[in-house]
Amino acid sequence: MDDAAAAGRRAIHEELERARTTFHRLLDSATDADLRRGTEGTRWTNGQLLFHMLFGYILMRPLLVLLRVFGRLPRSTSRAFARVLNAATEPFDVVNYLGPLGGARVLGRRGMGALFDRVIAWLHHRLDAEKEADLALVMHYPTRWDPFFQDVMTIADLYRYPTQHFDFHRRQLTLADDGR
């Protein structure tokens, strides 16, 4: 592995660890009332938005599988798949909204923290095991589903996606002291 590739992996590891530390600080410093309070610019409470932020990392497992499959097929295949997904944006938005309503309630504070740790540990492990050639696999993504999906993304790009998503939504939290 060359120096640039090693530096890229190291940067992703640092982003993942920063998000993990921040997530725990947000959860640990929030009161139950803080978690029930509404957020800025969403219909979720702080607790529900924290679950949504966690869910961005949970989605990495299936997103990586999809990219590994489509990344080995002709690019036109993933372009067509992305078009189909873009056409299904409205149903996706409904599921994307409803998931955190129940997810935050089912997992609760401790469950969200523990799951965040497990998912980040898995991502660290998976990133360390990635072959350089696989990090360069590309796929078209449904850009209407998330502002951080680019038209074409590599696996390396995909590892950065959940932290971009996390950082964006962190600004919408209305927690008393989130360390910003």
Side-chain angles (χ1 to χ4, degrees):
M1 177 183 335
D2 66 21
D3 290 343
R9 283 181 201 249
R10 198 168 36 255
I12 294 169
H13 281 300
E14 289 169 3
E15 289 173 4
L16 293 171
E17 211 40 44
R18 175 185 53 80
R20 190 188 69 75
T21 302
T22 300
F23 192 81
H24 278 284
R25 190 182 71 247
L26 292 167
L27 273 180
D28 294 346
S29 66
T31 65
D32 289 341
D34 288 335
L35 294 177
R36 288 190 302 269
R37 188 171 44 250
T39 57
E40 301 228 359
T42 82
R43 296 182 292 166
W44 290 312
T45 66
N46 285 313
Q48 293 162 346
L49 184 54
L50 284 166
F51 178 85
H52 178 76
M53 293 160 67
L54 160 62
F55 198 66
Y57 291 94
I58 293 170
L59 283 177
M60 284 297 292
R61 199 175 292 244
L63 290 174
L64 285 167
V65 169
L66 281 173
L67 203 150
R68 282 181 215 299
V69 170
F70 281 102
R72 288 175 170 81
L73 298 173
R75 202 177 278 191
S76 60
T77 307
S78 72
R79 185 179 300 116
F81 183 66
R83 272 193 231 125
V84 169
L85 293 178
N86 271 329
T89 298
E90 286 184 34
F92 167 79
D93 287 344
V94 171
V95 171
N96 190 42
Y97 170 71
L98 293 175
L101 299 183
R105 178 172 290 169
V106 169
L107 285 180
R109 180 193 308 261
R110 266 187 288 206
M112 285 195 295
L115 183 54
F116 204 95
D117 287 343
R118 284 194 306 273
V119 171
I120 295 296
W122 182 84
L123 286 169
H124 281 305
H125 174 75
R126 187 66 240 155
L127 178 59
D128 286 339
E130 293 285 2
K131 296 175 185 161
E132 287 305 308
D134 287 347
L135 286 172
L137 289 172
V138 298
M139 174 183 166
H140 286 272
Y141 271 82
T143 56
R144 292 182 57 202
W145 280 33
D146 193 287
F148 301 106
F149 281 163
Q150 301 162 31
D151 178 42
V152 177
M153 295 176 73
T154 65
I155 285 184
D157 295 332
L158 195 56
Y159 274 104
R160 297 199 112 122
Y161 157 75
T163 303
Q164 292 170 331
H165 177 263
F166 179 94
D167 290 341
F168 172 80
H169 285 301
R170 179 177 172 211
R171 292 187 293 272
Q172 295 176 309
L173 294 169
T174 59
L175 299 174
D177 179 17
D178 72 0
R180 279 187 261 187

PDB file of all heavy atoms in Angstrom, residues 76-96:
ATOM      1  N   SER A  76     -23.144   0.861 -16.880  1.00  0.00           N
ATOM      2  CA  SER A  76     -24.526   1.148 -17.297  1.00  0.00           C
ATOM      3  C   SER A  76     -25.532   0.415 -16.398  1.00  0.00           C
ATOM      4  O   SER A  76     -26.655   0.890 -16.217  1.00  0.00           O
ATOM      5  CB  SER A  76     -24.733   0.761 -18.762  1.00  0.00           C
ATOM      6  OG  SER A  76     -24.479  -0.631 -18.949  1.00  0.00           O
ATOM      7  N   THR A  77     -25.141  -0.716 -15.825  1.00  0.00           N
ATOM      8  CA  THR A  77     -26.037  -1.469 -14.941  1.00  0.00           C
ATOM      9  C   THR A  77     -26.330  -0.673 -13.673  1.00  0.00           C
ATOM     10  O   THR A  77     -27.491  -0.553 -13.262  1.00  0.00           O
ATOM     11  CB  THR A  77     -25.400  -2.830 -14.582  1.00  0.00           C
ATOM     12  OG1 THR A  77     -25.023  -3.500 -15.782  1.00  0.00           O
ATOM     13  CG2 THR A  77     -26.369  -3.695 -13.796  1.00  0.00           C
ATOM     14  N   SER A  78     -25.298  -0.115 -13.055  1.00  0.00           N
ATOM     15  CA  SER A  78     -25.536   0.668 -11.838  1.00  0.00           C
ATOM     16  C   SER A  78     -26.223   1.988 -12.159  1.00  0.00           C
ATOM     17  O   SER A  78     -26.994   2.498 -11.353  1.00  0.00           O
ATOM     18  CB  SER A  78     -24.245   0.885 -11.046  1.00  0.00           C
ATOM     19  OG  SER A  78     -23.381   1.797 -11.678  1.00  0.00           O
ATOM     20  N   ARG A  79     -25.977   2.526 -13.348  1.00  0.00           N
ATOM     21  CA  ARG A  79     -26.651   3.763 -13.751  1.00  0.00           C
ATOM     22  C   ARG A  79     -28.157   3.513 -13.837  1.00  0.00           C
ATOM     23  O   ARG A  79     -28.958   4.304 -13.331  1.00  0.00           O
ATOM     24  CB  ARG A  79     -26.117   4.264 -15.092  1.00  0.00           C
ATOM     25  CG  ARG A  79     -26.690   5.611 -15.506  1.00  0.00           C
ATOM     26  CD  ARG A  79     -26.140   6.123 -16.845  1.00  0.00           C
ATOM     27  NE  ARG A  79     -24.693   6.289 -16.795  1.00  0.00           N
ATOM     28  CZ  ARG A  79     -23.819   5.585 -17.534  1.00  0.00           C
ATOM     29  NH1 ARG A  79     -24.254   4.676 -18.384  1.00  0.00           N
ATOM     30  NH2 ARG A  79     -22.534   5.802 -17.436  1.00  0.00           N
ATOM     31  N   ALA A  80     -28.553   2.392 -14.439  1.00  0.00           N
ATOM     32  CA  ALA A  80     -29.980   2.044 -14.548  1.00  0.00           C
ATOM     33  C   ALA A  80     -30.571   1.787 -13.157  1.00  0.00           C
ATOM     34  O   ALA A  80     -31.684   2.240 -12.860  1.00  0.00           O
ATOM     35  CB  ALA A  80     -30.152   0.818 -15.443  1.00  0.00           C
ATOM     36  N   PHE A  81     -29.829   1.095 -12.298  1.00  0.00           N
ATOM     37  CA  PHE A  81     -30.293   0.818 -10.939  1.00  0.00           C
ATOM     38  C   PHE A  81     -30.492   2.129 -10.171  1.00  0.00           C
ATOM     39  O   PHE A  81     -31.506   2.314  -9.482  1.00  0.00           O
ATOM     40  CB  PHE A  81     -29.278  -0.083 -10.228  1.00  0.00           C
ATOM     41  CG  PHE A  81     -29.675  -0.496  -8.845  1.00  0.00           C
ATOM     42  CD1 PHE A  81     -30.767  -1.315  -8.625  1.00  0.00           C
ATOM     43  CD2 PHE A  81     -28.934  -0.072  -7.750  1.00  0.00           C
ATOM     44  CE1 PHE A  81     -31.126  -1.707  -7.344  1.00  0.00           C
ATOM     45  CE2 PHE A  81     -29.282  -0.463  -6.463  1.00  0.00           C
ATOM     46  CZ  PHE A  81     -30.378  -1.271  -6.259  1.00  0.00           C
ATOM     47  N   ALA A  82     -29.562   3.061 -10.300  1.00  0.00           N
ATOM     48  CA  ALA A  82     -29.676   4.356  -9.622  1.00  0.00           C
ATOM     49  C   ALA A  82     -30.895   5.122 -10.125  1.00  0.00           C
ATOM     50  O   ALA A  82     -31.589   5.783  -9.332  1.00  0.00           O
ATOM     51  CB  ALA A  82     -28.406   5.177  -9.820  1.00  0.00           C
ATOM     52  N   ARG A  83     -31.178   5.031 -11.424  1.00  0.00           N
ATOM     53  CA  ARG A  83     -32.368   5.698 -11.972  1.00  0.00           C
ATOM     54  C   ARG A  83     -33.643   5.133 -11.357  1.00  0.00           C
ATOM     55  O   ARG A  83     -34.569   5.879 -11.027  1.00  0.00           O
ATOM     56  CB  ARG A  83     -32.413   5.561 -13.496  1.00  0.00           C
ATOM     57  CG  ARG A  83     -31.678   6.667 -14.186  1.00  0.00           C
ATOM     58  CD  ARG A  83     -32.000   6.684 -15.679  1.00  0.00           C
ATOM     59  NE  ARG A  83     -30.725   6.711 -16.361  1.00  0.00           N
ATOM     60  CZ  ARG A  83     -30.305   5.863 -17.273  1.00  0.00           C
ATOM     61  NH1 ARG A  83     -31.095   4.906 -17.708  1.00  0.00           N
ATOM     62  NH2 ARG A  83     -29.118   5.963 -17.802  1.00  0.00           N
ATOM     63  N   VAL A  84     -33.707   3.800 -11.215  1.00  0.00           N
ATOM     64  CA  VAL A  84     -34.874   3.159 -10.598  1.00  0.00           C
ATOM     65  C   VAL A  84     -35.024   3.633  -9.152  1.00  0.00           C
ATOM     66  O   VAL A  84     -36.120   3.979  -8.704  1.00  0.00           O
ATOM     67  CB  VAL A  84     -34.754   1.618 -10.670  1.00  0.00           C
ATOM     68  CG1 VAL A  84     -35.807   0.936  -9.800  1.00  0.00           C
ATOM     69  CG2 VAL A  84     -34.859   1.150 -12.111  1.00  0.00           C
ATOM     70  N   LEU A  85     -33.923   3.651  -8.413  1.00  0.00           N
ATOM     71  CA  LEU A  85     -33.983   4.111  -7.022  1.00  0.00           C
ATOM     72  C   LEU A  85     -34.382   5.581  -6.935  1.00  0.00           C
ATOM     73  O   LEU A  85     -35.166   5.956  -6.059  1.00  0.00           O
ATOM     74  CB  LEU A  85     -32.643   3.877  -6.325  1.00  0.00           C
ATOM     75  CG  LEU A  85     -32.251   2.410  -6.122  1.00  0.00           C
ATOM     76  CD1 LEU A  85     -30.885   2.323  -5.455  1.00  0.00           C
ATOM     77  CD2 LEU A  85     -33.291   1.657  -5.331  1.00  0.00           C
ATOM     78  N   ASN A  86     -33.864   6.407  -7.818  1.00  0.00           N
ATOM     79  CA  ASN A  86     -34.260   7.820  -7.832  1.00  0.00           C
ATOM     80  C   ASN A  86     -35.762   7.962  -8.079  1.00  0.00           C
ATOM     81  O   ASN A  86     -36.409   8.824  -7.496  1.00  0.00           O
ATOM     82  CB  ASN A  86     -33.465   8.606  -8.877  1.00  0.00           C
ATOM     83  CG  ASN A  86     -32.179   9.167  -8.329  1.00  0.00           C
ATOM     84  OD1 ASN A  86     -32.072   9.501  -7.154  1.00  0.00           O
ATOM     85  ND2 ASN A  86     -31.177   9.252  -9.187  1.00  0.00           N
ATOM     86  N   ALA A  87     -36.314   7.102  -8.923  1.00  0.00           N
ATOM     87  CA  ALA A  87     -37.758   7.141  -9.197  1.00  0.00           C
ATOM     88  C   ALA A  87     -38.566   6.736  -7.966  1.00  0.00           C
ATOM     89  O   ALA A  87     -39.729   7.112  -7.838  1.00  0.00           O
ATOM     90  CB  ALA A  87     -38.093   6.231 -10.377  1.00  0.00           C
ATOM     91  N   ALA A  88     -37.946   5.991  -7.065  1.00  0.00           N
ATOM     92  CA  ALA A  88     -38.626   5.525  -5.850  1.00  0.00           C
ATOM     93  C   ALA A  88     -38.285   6.388  -4.633  1.00  0.00           C
ATOM     94  O   ALA A  88     -38.366   5.925  -3.499  1.00  0.00           O
ATOM     95  CB  ALA A  88     -38.252   4.071  -5.587  1.00  0.00           C
ATOM     96  N   THR A  89     -37.939   7.636  -4.862  1.00  0.00           N
ATOM     97  CA  THR A  89     -37.532   8.507  -3.761  1.00  0.00           C
ATOM     98  C   THR A  89     -38.651   8.725  -2.751  1.00  0.00           C
ATOM     99  O   THR A  89     -38.400   8.719  -1.543  1.00  0.00           O
ATOM    100  CB  THR A  89     -37.021   9.862  -4.301  1.00  0.00           C
ATOM    101  OG1 THR A  89     -35.870   9.613  -5.113  1.00  0.00           O
ATOM    102  CG2 THR A  89     -36.646  10.812  -3.183  1.00  0.00           C
ATOM    103  N   GLU A  90     -39.877   8.900  -3.206  1.00  0.00           N
ATOM    104  CA  GLU A  90     -40.967   9.171  -2.258  1.00  0.00           C
ATOM    105  C   GLU A  90     -41.180   8.034  -1.265  1.00  0.00           C
ATOM    106  O   GLU A  90     -41.238   8.287  -0.057  1.00  0.00           O
ATOM    107  CB  GLU A  90     -42.253   9.527  -3.014  1.00  0.00           C
ATOM    108  CG  GLU A  90     -42.186  10.921  -3.609  1.00  0.00           C
ATOM    109  CD  GLU A  90     -43.476  11.329  -4.277  1.00  0.00           C
ATOM    110  OE1 GLU A  90     -44.554  10.928  -3.787  1.00  0.00           O
ATOM    111  OE2 GLU A  90     -43.401  12.055  -5.277  1.00  0.00           O
ATOM    112  N   PRO A  91     -41.278   6.768  -1.714  1.00  0.00           N
ATOM    113  CA  PRO A  91     -41.407   5.683  -0.721  1.00  0.00           C
ATOM    114  C   PRO A  91     -40.174   5.596   0.195  1.00  0.00           C
ATOM    115  O   PRO A  91     -40.300   5.325   1.393  1.00  0.00           O
ATOM    116  CB  PRO A  91     -41.551   4.416  -1.562  1.00  0.00           C
ATOM    117  CG  PRO A  91     -41.937   4.875  -2.913  1.00  0.00           C
ATOM    118  CD  PRO A  91     -41.430   6.270  -3.068  1.00  0.00           C
ATOM    119  N   PHE A  92     -38.993   5.841  -0.359  1.00  0.00           N
ATOM    120  CA  PHE A  92     -37.779   5.831   0.459  1.00  0.00           C
ATOM    121  C   PHE A  92     -37.877   6.898   1.549  1.00  0.00           C
ATOM    122  O   PHE A  92     -37.534   6.643   2.701  1.00  0.00           O
ATOM    123  CB  PHE A  92     -36.535   6.071  -0.400  1.00  0.00           C
ATOM    124  CG  PHE A  92     -35.309   6.369   0.418  1.00  0.00           C
ATOM    125  CD1 PHE A  92     -34.600   5.335   1.028  1.00  0.00           C
ATOM    126  CD2 PHE A  92     -34.876   7.676   0.598  1.00  0.00           C
ATOM    127  CE1 PHE A  92     -33.483   5.609   1.804  1.00  0.00           C
ATOM    128  CE2 PHE A  92     -33.767   7.957   1.369  1.00  0.00           C
ATOM    129  CZ  PHE A  92     -33.061   6.920   1.978  1.00  0.00           C
ATOM    130  N   ASP A  93     -38.336   8.091   1.192  1.00  0.00           N
ATOM    131  CA  ASP A  93     -38.446   9.172   2.170  1.00  0.00           C
ATOM    132  C   ASP A  93     -39.387   8.805   3.317  1.00  0.00           C
ATOM    133  O   ASP A  93     -39.126   9.143   4.468  1.00  0.00           O
ATOM    134  CB  ASP A  93     -38.918  10.466   1.499  1.00  0.00           C
ATOM    135  CG  ASP A  93     -37.832  11.117   0.643  1.00  0.00           C
ATOM    136  OD1 ASP A  93     -36.639  10.759   0.791  1.00  0.00           O
ATOM    137  OD2 ASP A  93     -38.184  11.981  -0.176  1.00  0.00           O
ATOM    138  N   VAL A  94     -40.469   8.109   3.003  1.00  0.00           N
ATOM    139  CA  VAL A  94     -41.412   7.692   4.050  1.00  0.00           C
ATOM    140  C   VAL A  94     -40.735   6.713   5.005  1.00  0.00           C
ATOM    141  O   VAL A  94     -40.789   6.876   6.231  1.00  0.00           O
ATOM    142  CB  VAL A  94     -42.688   7.068   3.428  1.00  0.00           C
ATOM    143  CG1 VAL A  94     -43.566   6.425   4.496  1.00  0.00           C
ATOM    144  CG2 VAL A  94     -43.472   8.128   2.657  1.00  0.00           C
ATOM    145  N   VAL A  95     -40.080   5.701   4.461  1.00  0.00           N
ATOM    146  CA  VAL A  95     -39.393   4.713   5.296  1.00  0.00           C
ATOM    147  C   VAL A  95     -38.262   5.380   6.081  1.00  0.00           C
ATOM    148  O   VAL A  95     -38.068   5.108   7.273  1.00  0.00           O
ATOM    149  CB  VAL A  95     -38.855   3.553   4.421  1.00  0.00           C
ATOM    150  CG1 VAL A  95     -37.951   2.631   5.217  1.00  0.00           C
ATOM    151  CG2 VAL A  95     -40.013   2.790   3.804  1.00  0.00           C
ATOM    152  N   ASN A  96     -37.537   6.264   5.423  1.00  0.00           N
ATOM    153  CA  ASN A  96     -36.434   6.981   6.058  1.00  0.00           C
ATOM    154  C   ASN A  96     -36.925   7.820   7.231  1.00  0.00           C
ATOM    155  O   ASN A  96     -36.230   7.964   8.240  1.00  0.00           O
ATOM    156  CB  ASN A  96     -35.735   7.861   5.010  1.00  0.00           C
ATOM    157  CG  ASN A  96     -34.440   8.450   5.501  1.00  0.00           C
ATOM    158  OD1 ASN A  96     -33.639   7.794   6.156  1.00  0.00           O
ATOM    159  ND2 ASN A  96     -34.230   9.714   5.168  1.00  0.00           N
TER     160      ASN A  96
END
